[in-house]
Amino acid sequence: MRSSNIYRNGLVLAAAILLSAGTVGAVDPNRNPAQYIREFWGSEEGFPGGSVHAIAQTSDGYLWIGAETGLIRFDGLKFTRLDYPPGPINGLTTNVEGNLWIRLDNPSLLRYRDGNFSDVSGELGNHVITAMGSGRDGQILIEGITNLTFRPHAGKLQGVAFKNARHNVIVTALVEAADGNLWLGTRDNGFLSLAAGQDVSVLHGLEDRRISALLAMSGQELLIGSDDGIARWTGSEITRRGIPES
């Protein structure tokens, strides 16, 4: 991946879509990233500018971009920056109901559906969100600075505690694999596997321990996004085989 200017001034859509938690359905797990076409959109192509923090795609086909400048919608031809919500957007994901979940640059969490925004922050209590991702059932997963992972239950977000507390670890990405194994990317400690109540840390082979995105592929495979670029976890090792050079 090229320098961070890609995300400061424009978009590389293939890599961004691959690592966007809300677009899992658009990814063929039998393809490797090198088989996807990459296109770049910058200010000359109409991108409003600002650092890009998150990308998700809703079931109506719109691509949503969470940027330093706000929430941006892309229809394949043009970019539209919405007036609401104001301020930077730190996280985006979708779920099977077609909702777009929006994490603001404050403790607020919004849900967008059919043109309407709902503030659902109250369902999280006082927990501060650090990451959002997708479960194997297509539902949202939310992680905070406490030892709780939130997921929907009976129409509300409910926190689930793990036996093994993750002390001094800030979670920056999470995804649930097909086998039910929950993977957490961290700010400074690589990524963790939560299986049978145990934390298993994966560090060997990581050139950058600051993980920004995780995407579950087929079997035990994951795609891992960091400031160093994209890597692939095969279930036993981290490799860049099949990852295109930028």
Side-chain angles (χ1 to χ4, degrees), residues 33-180:
Q35 295 175 285
Y36 286 87
I37 298 172
R38 291 170 289 167
E39 295 188 48
F40 176 81
W41 274 267
S43 58
E44 293 182 358
E45 291 77 23
F47 180 67
S51 299
V52 174
H53 300 156
I55 297 177
Q57 187 176 25
T58 45
S59 56
D60 55 11
Y62 284 117
L63 197 67
W64 297 87
I65 302 156
E68 182 183 15
T69 55
L71 183 62
I72 300 166
R73 185 179 64 202
F74 182 57
D75 63 6
L77 296 175
K78 66 178 181 178
F79 295 91
T80 302
R81 183 166 54 204
L82 278 65
D83 294 330
Y84 184 86
I89 306 297
N90 282 351
L92 295 172
T93 193
T94 59
N95 65 359
V96 291
E97 283 88 9
N99 296 313
L100 176 67
W101 298 79
I102 306 162
R103 180 167 67 93
L104 306 184
D105 191 30
N106 58 48
S108 298
L109 177 66
L110 303 180
R111 182 174 57 211
Y112 176 84
R113 178 73 181 271
D114 298 330
N116 298 311
F117 291 92
S118 301
D119 191 333
V120 294
S121 309
E123 298 179 22
L124 299 172
N126 296 321
H127 299 282
V128 178
I129 304 170
T130 61
M132 300 190 301
S134 294
R136 57 179 173 171
D137 57 358
Q139 290 290 359
I140 187 174
L141 298 173
I142 299 172
E143 190 75 21
I145 59 175
T146 59
N147 185 35
L148 286 176
T149 300
F150 287 85
R151 62 174 71 217
H153 178 74
K156 297 287 184 179
L157 293 172
Q158 185 177 60
V160 178
F162 285 88
K163 297 177 182 178
N164 195 10
R166 302 182 291 277
H167 299 297
N168 301 319
V169 171
I170 296 179
V171 176
T172 52
L174 74 161
V175 70
E176 187 177 35
D179 60 1

Side-chain angles (χ1 to χ4, degrees), residues 162-229:
F162 285 88
K163 297 177 182 178
N164 195 10
R166 302 182 291 277
H167 299 297
N168 301 319
V169 171
I170 296 179
V171 176
T172 52
L174 74 161
V175 70
E176 187 177 35
D179 60 1
N181 193 9
L182 185 64
W183 292 89
L184 306 177
T186 72
R187 189 178 65 179
D188 300 302
N189 296 280
F191 63 105
L192 309 174
S193 167
L194 296 183
Q198 299 296 317
D199 293 4
V200 179
S201 178
V202 179
L203 294 173
H204 182 69
L206 277 177
E207 297 183 24
D208 189 337
R209 294 187 177 187
R210 184 184 294 263
I211 307 301
S212 56
L214 293 172
L215 176 64
M217 302 297 281
S218 60
Q220 296 180 317
E221 287 196 8
L222 298 174
L223 288 182
I224 308 158
S226 71
D227 288 350
D228 188 58

